[in-house]
Amino acid sequence: MASFAKPENALKRAEELINVGQKQDALQVLHDLITSKRHRAWQKTLERIMFKYIELCVDMRRGRYAKDGLIQYRIVCQQVNVSSLEEVIKHFMHLSTERAEMARNQAQALEEALDVDDLEADKRPEDLMLSYVSGEKGKDRSDRELVTPWFKFLWETYRTVLEILRNNSKLEALYAMTAHRAFQFCKQYKRTTELRRLCEIIRNHLANLNKYRDQRDRPDLSAPESLQLYLDTRFDQLKISTELGLWQEAFRSVEDIHGLMCMVKKTPKPSLMVVYYAKLTEILWVSDSHLYHAYAWFKLFSLQKSFNKNLNQKDLQLIASSVVLAALSVSPYDNTRGASHLELEHEKERNLRMANLIGFIIDPKLESRDVISRPSLLTELVSKGVMTCVTQEVKDLYNLLEHEFLPLDLTSKVQPLLTKISKLGGKLSSASSVPEVHLSQYIPALEKLATLRLLQQVSQVYQMMKIECLSKMIPFFDFSTVEKISVDAVKHNFIAMKVDHTKGVVIFGNLGLESDGMCNHLMIFAESLNKAKAIISPPARKASKIGEMLPALDDIVEKEHKKLLARKSIIEKRKEEQERHLLEMEREEESKRLKLQKITEEAEQRRLASEYEQRKNQRILREIEERELEEAQALLQEAEKRGKKKGKKPLVEGEKVTKQTLMELALSEQLRERQEMEKKLQKLAKTMDYLERAKREEAAPLIKAAFQHRLLEENIIHEREQQQEVELSRQRHDGDLKEKNRLARMWRHKEQFQETVVNRRQAEYNRLRAEREERVNQLLQQRRQEREYKRKMLFYLRTEEERLRKVQEEEEARKLEEAERKRKEEAEYKAKLDMIAEKQRQRELELEEKERARREELLGRTNEVLPPRSYDLPGGAALPMEAGAAAPAAATAAASQPPSSGKYVPRFRRERSENVGQAPLTESDRWGSNRQDDRTSQPRDSWRSDDRRSSFGAGSSGPRSSWSSSKIPPRG
């Protein structure tokens, strides 16, 4: 890749290579220069280089090179000189078109040369085989090789230009012009495939324009100029699609236009809307959407009548006739009868979509077939006065098919009218935006409608008719066609009839009796009885043998199912975790890559910015030096010229001249010249002042004389006009008197008529006034009753609210009192229980105290006579029975002995001791048994303390008698 310091050098090098026949090298040199980052500042030389580069690309048919060069040149001159880009693109298209036309002129047959379905496809295998097998190439193949490549290059040129200009707000007009030329190319050479691709390209450009709204040079569709350009492009697309017969693409173009109108929320000009509806009528007629075709014609008629004031009566009559015939051509029955729910939903969506395209606003909640239908359209045509504008034949046909009942003569009266209508139509005048109207296209649909009306009316009169008679009554079709039409009508429940070919008759029936509900009523009745029987007595279910054999099978299956679900959830969680981990890793890698890429781009941008700043500073310094040098040279030359004219010698010599010296000399010379010029101007102004004053002094008497002359002339003119006005007034007065005398004989009739009208209106006024006063009184009475009722209701509600509030307050007070009473009773009951428990405790303590004192007394008296314990004996053992038997004896001995000398014993103790000594005998006599005392094996009393045990002499755990414990009442 060779680098050039200046673009001019690259251009010279390319021209040298072209002169020696090396166009490829020259193209590469210019391509390297254009794509280089060194020459990004626009200059005139770059434009010349682009012209040469485009010429080379066209000569060599290098579309990709041309696209790369134009993209780079767009970057260079987008913000500086966008008109240069426009000139280059126009030159590119001009050269491509010129070379394609030259190749076309060289070809012998245009149709044979362009017999290719797809310009972007390569050569077919059979063509390659034929070219290798045949020795000599035929003329057809030579033409194909000559013309087709240039047309392929021209098509690629259009695509390249549209791609470059798609988001450029400054070149919208050029974009529209390119699209228009591309459409004309497709139309001229019948290129249907390229037209589809072109429409898709333009559609994608608009979609991207709406998707990326933050672009810098994005066109603004809200601007009227931009919107008009886009609409013109879409209308060209619509026209070319309909002319080439691409109805599907034409319908998509209609949707594009409607979407563009909805996007900017603005309605185009009426002239464009007329074209829109005219093309829409053609599309809908081809697609057999006769109802929407009629509605489109109705909208077209409304636009033409409202906005086209130059439309003559004949053209308006033809358009109105087309509207009525289109409405009559719609099928009189509903084609969606018996359709599934999904088909009905699709039909509803289609109706909403088509209604939006036509311009009718429909509520989605309503049924669109009730809003947009044949009866509603015909009713609207009558109400809007369309029937008054149609021809007499169309009006008669409408009355026959819609209002008359002529079962035998209908077709005979309709046929001549259809013959006359088929001859109507043709091209309209230039004032109409619709080029031509053909009413003959509606004849087949009208013949079918007449056949259906005849069958419908005949079915209402006859029950049976021969096929020959029915065929004679319908001259439009043979009986097989009539049979097909009737089958479709019977299917959609329009008529009820049967054809019996064995007997050769047609049997007509009643729609009410032939309905589905009546035909199948027995079957429906049987199904209802079976359902009722199943509900009343359902069949018994047989027990499953597997359930008996495996009673726990359900539990096992449920458990296994739960295990499988748990395992599945665990696997899914692991998969999600793994996918999340992989996504995180990919995200991290992507972020690292983006960061590295961003760092690299920033470094590259900084480097480019620094290089650009350096080049800019160098260029500025160089320009400043060159400018200073040029100024110094200019000042030197001017000083030399001035010195030569005045005969003065220059004050400085050539080698010692500097810029500062020359500027000082020039400034002094300019100051001197300015002073001289001011003196001259002052002298000139003084002279002009004197001259103007003298002119005004001479002109003053002339102006006064002219004024007097003009005043006399105007007086004469005023008098003459006054006389004419008086004469005219006299004539008018005489005429008015004659008119008054002529009308005086009608004065009495006028007074009578006026009196009659006034009396009638006065009576009507009095009646209306009385009715109004009656209505006002009734209204006042009603409002008075309503106010009274409202006042009573408010009083009742307020009283009821007060009563309920008082009841609620009393209930709350009662609940509080009840709670307080319960709390007090519980407290009193608890206090009583505590007091009873305290008394019981005191009584037990007293009893225990008395028992303890008694035992101490008893133990103190019996201490001396007690036998030695078993553990005190020499042998260390004694029989329990002996100890048990010795205990009462010891107690008796202790009781019989007198108290020790010198010690006072109270009387109650002595009595208690005596009683205690007799207690065992009394106890044994009471029970009357000689059983041994087994209380020796019981444990010691827990209430005995250690100090009482010490009174026995030894603190051991030997067996003791617990006979005294039976006298103590139990606690609690």
Side-chain angles (χ1 to χ4, degrees):
M1 174 180 174
S3 59
F4 297 93
K6 293 183 178 180
E8 294 86 351
N9 300 335
L11 182 60
K12 292 178 182 178
R13 178 61 179 165
E15 290 176 351
E16 292 173 358
L17 291 173
I18 291 171
N19 293 331
V20 297
Q22 297 181 2
K23 293 185 177 180
Q24 179 62 37
D25 295 337
L27 180 64
Q28 189 64 41
V29 168
L30 295 179
H31 182 267
D32 294 340
L33 176 71
I34 293 170
T35 58
S36 175
K37 297 180 180 180
R38 292 185 59 184
H39 307 285
R40 289 296 178 88
W42 184 86
Q43 47 187 328
K44 191 66 175 177
T45 308
L46 279 179
E47 186 176 352
R48 296 199 303 272
I49 291 173
M50 281 301 300
F51 281 133
K52 181 61 70 175
Y53 179 77
I54 291 298
E55 292 174 1
L56 288 174
C57 290
V58 173
D59 288 339
M60 301 176 68
R61 292 201 299 269
R62 297 299 177 87
R64 295 200 177 265
Y65 276 85
K67 184 176 181 180
D68 293 342
L70 289 173
I71 291 174
Q72 295 296 328
Y73 192 65
R74 181 186 64 181
I75 297 172
V76 171
C77 62
Q78 175 67 34
Q79 305 297 332
V80 181
N81 189 5
V82 74
S83 60
S84 176
L85 176 63
E86 183 177 0
E87 294 297 328
V88 171
I89 290 175
K90 287 181 178 179
H91 184 62
F92 180 36
M93 290 193 295
H94 173 70
L95 290 177
S96 300
T97 307
E98 186 177 4
R99 294 301 298 270
E101 289 295 329
M102 290 174 61
R104 176 175 172 271
N105 294 331
Q106 293 175 6
Q108 295 293 329
L110 177 61
E111 291 79 3
E112 297 175 357
L114 289 179
D115 190 14
V116 180
D117 292 335
D118 190 355
L119 291 178
E120 295 185 1
D122 296 332
K123 290 185 177 181
R124 294 179 295 180
E126 55 267 24
D127 295 337
L128 293 175
M129 292 176 63
L130 183 63
S131 64
Y132 287 116
V133 171
S134 60
E136 295 180 0
K137 296 182 179 180
K139 186 176 182 301
D140 296 340
R141 291 198 300 277
S142 63
D143 291 340
R144 184 186 301 276
E145 291 181 358
L146 180 64
V147 178
T148 302
W150 281 110
F151 277 89
K152 289 177 68 176
F153 181 76
L154 180 59
W155 166 246
E156 189 176 356
T157 299
Y158 289 136
R159 291 191 60 175
T160 300
V161 173
L162 290 175
E163 185 68 23
I164 291 172
L165 302 177
R166 61 189 177 92
N167 289 331
N168 199 324
S169 60
K170 300 178 181 178
L171 296 175
E172 291 176 341
L174 183 59
Y175 178 86
M177 184 193 74
T178 306
H180 176 72
R181 294 179 65 174
F183 286 132
Q184 294 300 322
F185 165 78
C186 297
K187 174 186 174 183
Q188 184 178 0
Y189 303 113
K190 307 293 189 298
R191 307 310 305 174
T192 57
T193 305
E194 283 71 26
L195 180 62
R196 291 192 186 95
R197 291 178 179 171
L198 179 61
C199 296
E200 191 65 27
I201 288 170
I202 295 176
R203 196 174 291 116
N204 291 334
H205 288 174
L206 183 61
N208 293 331
L209 188 66
N210 294 324
K211 185 177 180 181
Y212 305 105
R213 295 178 177 271
D214 54 348
Q215 294 181 353
R216 182 174 57 182
D217 296 324
R218 173 183 174 273
D220 187 11
L221 294 179
S222 60
E225 296 82 5
S226 302
L227 177 61
Q228 189 62 37
L229 289 173
Y230 273 87
L231 284 175
D232 292 341
T233 303
R234 295 305 184 280
F235 276 103
D236 287 341
Q237 174 181 332
L238 177 60
K239 291 176 182 177
I240 302 302
S241 300
T242 53
E243 290 176 3
L244 293 180
L246 300 177
W247 302 109
Q248 187 174 4
E249 196 61 42
F251 183 75
R252 296 184 68 184
S253 302
V254 169
E255 288 185 329
D256 293 341
I257 294 172
H258 182 263
L260 194 61
M261 290 189 295
C262 295
M263 188 187 306
V264 298
K265 297 180 180 179
K266 291 182 180 179
T267 304
K269 295 185 294 185
S271 59
L272 293 179
M273 293 305 297
V274 167
V275 176
Y276 172 82
Y277 284 113
K279 297 300 180 182
L280 188 59
T281 55
E282 298 180 16
I283 297 168
L284 294 174
W285 180 257
V286 171
S287 64
D288 292 335
S289 299
H290 294 171
L291 179 60
Y292 304 113
H293 169 78
Y295 270 100
W297 261 115
F298 181 48
K299 294 290 288 186
L300 179 60
F301 171 77
S302 302
L303 281 173
Q304 289 278 33
K305 188 176 180 182
S306 301
F307 296 100
N308 196 350
K309 304 301 181 183
N310 299 325
L311 192 67
N312 56 31
Q313 186 64 27
K314 182 180 178 182
D315 295 344
L316 184 64
Q317 200 173 37
L318 282 176
I319 295 174
S321 301
S322 299
V323 176
V324 177
L325 293 179
L328 290 175
S329 301
V330 181
S331 177
Y333 48 80
D334 187 10
N335 293 324
T336 60
R337 184 179 181 273
S340 62
H341 178 70
L342 183 61
E343 292 175 351
L344 291 176
E345 289 296 325
H346 288 329
E347 184 66 21
K348 185 177 180 180
E349 292 179 1
R350 180 174 177 270
N351 290 339
L352 289 174
R353 182 180 175 189
M354 296 301 299
N356 290 331
L357 290 179
I358 297 172
F360 284 86
I361 306 300
I362 298 179
D363 190 0
K365 298 180 180 178
L366 300 176
E367 288 291 337
S368 57
R369 58 186 177 183
D370 297 336
V371 180
I372 296 182
S373 61
R374 186 177 184 271
S376 62
L377 176 59
L378 291 174
T379 305
E380 193 168 2
L381 292 181
V382 174
S383 62
K384 293 295 178 64
V386 181
M387 300 300 298
T388 59
C389 300
V390 300
T391 59
Q392 187 62 36
E393 293 83 2
V394 176
K395 192 179 297 184
D396 296 341
L397 181 65
Y398 171 76
N399 292 326
L400 284 173
L401 294 177
E402 297 298 325
H403 299 294
E404 298 291 340
F405 187 80
L406 301 170
L408 299 177
D409 301 333
L410 180 63
T411 54
S412 61
K413 292 186 178 182
V414 167
Q415 190 172 12
L417 293 177
L418 293 179
T419 305
K420 292 180 181 179
I421 290 173
S422 62
K423 298 178 181 179
L424 297 177
K427 294 185 178 180
L428 302 183
S429 62
S430 59
S432 175
S433 300
V434 182
E436 56 185 356
V437 174
H438 296 289
L439 300 183
S440 59
Q441 63 180 350
Y442 301 109
I443 299 301
L446 293 174
E447 291 176 349
K448 181 180 178 182
L449 177 64
T451 304
L452 289 172
R453 290 298 185 196
L454 177 66
L455 292 174
Q456 185 185 27
Q457 294 178 9
V458 168
S459 66
Q460 296 176 8
V461 177
Y462 297 94
Q463 292 182 352
M464 185 182 300
M465 180 178 286
K466 291 185 178 181
I467 294 177
E468 294 82 2
C469 296
L470 187 61
S471 300
K472 292 178 181 179
M473 292 172 62
I474 303 175
F476 310 123
F477 310 107
D478 55 358
F479 188 73
S480 60
T481 308
V482 174
E483 191 173 1
K484 292 179 182 179
I485 295 172
S486 62
V487 166
D488 192 54
V490 170
K491 176 183 176 182
H492 294 96
N493 202 23
F494 184 69
I495 57 175
M497 60 178 289
K498 296 179 182 179
V499 181
D500 191 349
H501 288 281
T502 59
K503 297 180 180 179
V505 295
V506 177
I507 303 171
F508 298 100
N510 191 354
L511 284 177
L513 296 176
E514 294 293 333
S515 62
D516 296 338
M518 295 299 295
C519 290
N520 303 327
H521 65 285
L522 289 177
M523 184 176 65
I524 295 171
F525 183 64
E527 291 178 355
S528 301
L529 288 178
N530 288 331
K531 290 180 181 178
K533 180 182 177 183
I535 293 172
I536 294 172
S537 58
R541 296 182 179 178
K542 296 181 179 180
S544 177
K545 295 181 178 180
I546 298 176
E548 295 177 357
M549 295 170 60
L550 301 174
L553 182 60
D554 293 337
D555 298 336
I556 295 171
V557 171
E558 185 68 24
K559 290 180 182 178
E560 291 296 328
H561 182 62
K562 290 181 179 179
K563 289 181 181 179
L564 290 175
L565 289 178
R567 185 169 179 271
K568 181 181 178 182
S569 63
I570 292 171
I571 293 172
E572 289 179 353
K573 288 181 181 179
R574 289 178 180 175
K575 286 183 179 179
E576 290 176 358
E577 190 68 27
Q578 187 176 4
E579 291 176 357
R580 191 182 301 109
H581 182 65
L582 292 175
L583 288 174
E584 289 178 357
M585 292 178 61
E586 291 178 358
R587 196 178 294 111
E588 290 178 358
E589 292 177 358
E590 184 68 18
S591 61
K592 289 180 182 179
R593 187 183 64 79
L594 291 175
K595 287 180 181 179
L596 182 60
Q597 183 180 359
K598 186 177 180 181
I599 293 171
T600 306
E601 290 177 355
E602 290 177 354
E604 184 67 19
Q605 290 178 359
R606 286 195 297 271
R607 186 182 65 80
L608 293 175
S610 61
E611 291 180 358
Y612 177 74
E613 290 294 332
Q614 291 177 2
R615 291 196 300 270
K616 183 178 179 181
N617 294 333
Q618 292 176 2
R619 180 175 57 80
I620 292 172
L621 292 175
R622 186 169 61 252
E623 289 178 356
I624 291 172
E625 291 176 358
E626 292 176 355
R627 193 180 300 111
E628 290 179 353
L629 181 60
E630 291 176 358
E631 289 177 357
Q633 291 177 357
L635 290 173
L636 179 60
Q637 292 176 2
E638 187 178 356
E640 289 178 354
K641 289 180 181 179
R642 193 180 298 111
K644 289 179 180 179
K645 287 181 179 180
K646 295 183 179 180
K648 297 182 180 179
K649 294 181 180 181
L651 300 176
V652 293
E653 296 179 359
E655 293 296 334
K656 298 181 181 178
V657 172
T658 61
K659 179 186 176 183
Q660 188 67 25
T661 306
L662 291 174
M663 288 185 68
E664 290 177 357
L665 290 173
L667 289 174
S668 61
E669 187 66 22
Q670 289 177 1
L671 181 61
R672 185 181 60 78
E673 290 178 356
R674 189 180 298 112
Q675 291 175 356
E676 292 179 356
M677 184 60 67
E678 288 178 356
K679 291 180 181 178
K680 290 181 180 179
L681 289 175
Q682 289 178 0
K683 185 176 180 181
L684 182 62
K686 197 171 183 180
T687 305
M688 292 295 294
D689 189 12
Y690 290 156
L691 181 61
E692 184 66 24
R693 186 182 300 167
K695 285 167 61 178
R696 292 188 178 183
E697 287 178 356
E698 292 295 331
L702 297 176
I703 292 172
K704 188 174 181 181
F707 174 73
Q708 294 295 332
H709 180 68
R710 178 68 180 274
L711 189 62
L712 291 174
E713 289 180 353
E714 287 182 355
N715 287 331
I716 295 170
I717 293 171
H718 175 69
E719 290 177 358
R720 185 171 63 253
E721 290 178 354
Q722 190 71 20
Q723 291 177 1
Q724 292 177 357
E725 184 66 26
V726 170
E727 186 65 26
L728 289 174
S729 298
R730 186 179 293 107
Q731 293 176 2
R732 283 198 296 269
H733 179 69
D734 295 340
D736 292 342
L737 287 176
K738 292 179 181 179
E739 186 69 18
K740 180 181 177 182
N741 295 329
R742 187 178 67 84
L743 296 176
R745 58 190 179 84
M746 294 185 288
W747 178 261
R748 183 172 53 81
H749 300 287
K750 175 255 183 189
E751 289 293 333
Q752 292 177 358
F753 177 74
Q754 181 178 356
E755 184 179 358
T756 304
V757 172
V758 170
N759 292 335
R760 187 174 66 250
R761 291 183 179 178
Q762 183 66 33
E764 183 69 17
Y765 170 74
N766 294 332
R767 185 180 61 80
L768 293 176
R769 182 176 181 183
E771 290 177 358
R772 180 180 176 280
E773 289 178 355
E774 185 178 356
R775 288 197 303 271
V776 170
N777 293 331
Q778 292 177 359
L779 185 61
L780 291 176
Q781 183 66 23
Q782 184 181 358
R783 290 181 179 177
R784 190 179 301 109
Q785 292 176 358
E786 289 177 356
R787 287 196 301 272
E788 184 68 20
Y789 174 75
K790 186 175 180 181
R791 183 182 61 78
K792 290 181 179 180
M793 183 58 68
L794 289 175
F795 177 75
Y796 171 73
L797 293 175
R798 197 180 301 111
T799 307
E800 188 67 18
E801 289 178 358
E802 186 68 24
R803 186 184 64 79
L804 292 176
R805 185 178 59 79
K806 288 182 180 180
V807 170
Q808 187 176 3
E809 290 177 356
E810 291 176 357
E811 184 68 20
E812 291 178 355
R814 187 183 61 78
K815 289 181 179 180
L816 291 175
E817 291 177 359
E818 185 69 21
E820 185 67 23
R821 185 180 61 78
K822 288 182 179 180
R823 186 179 60 78
K824 288 181 179 180
E825 288 178 356
E826 289 177 358
E828 290 176 359
Y829 180 69
K830 187 176 180 182
K832 289 180 181 180
L833 291 178
D834 293 341
M835 186 173 64
I836 293 169
E838 185 65 26
K839 289 180 180 180
Q840 184 72 19
R841 192 165 46 253
Q842 289 178 4
R843 187 164 59 250
E844 290 175 357
L845 290 176
E846 289 177 0
L847 291 173
E848 289 178 2
E849 189 67 29
K850 289 179 182 181
E851 185 66 24
R852 188 170 55 252
R854 186 180 63 78
R855 288 184 180 183
E856 287 178 358
E857 182 65 27
L858 180 62
L859 293 175
R861 289 181 179 274
T862 60
N863 192 18
E864 295 177 357
V865 294
L866 285 175
R869 300 185 182 183
S870 61
Y871 49 78
D872 292 335
L873 294 177
L879 292 174
M881 293 300 296
E882 295 177 357
T892 307
S896 62
Q897 287 188 11
S900 60
S901 61
K903 187 175 180 180
Y904 173 75
V905 179
R907 183 178 178 181
F908 70 91
R909 286 193 177 183
R910 291 196 302 269
E911 292 176 356
R912 184 177 298 175
S913 298
E914 294 175 357
N915 295 330
V916 171
Q918 300 173 359
L921 297 176
T922 307
E923 195 69 26
S924 61
D925 294 339
R926 181 187 302 172
W927 291 101
S929 64
N930 298 322
R931 62 187 177 90
Q932 296 178 355
D933 191 2
D934 56 352
R935 287 177 291 179
T936 56
S937 62
Q938 294 180 358
R940 292 173 297 173
D941 295 333
S942 59
W943 50 270
R944 291 178 180 175
S945 59
D946 294 337
D947 55 345
R948 290 197 303 271
R949 286 197 299 267
S950 61
S951 62
F952 286 90
S956 180
S957 61
R960 297 177 183 177
S961 177
S962 60
W963 57 270
S964 60
S965 62
S966 62
K967 300 293 183 179
I968 302 172
R971 297 180 182 178

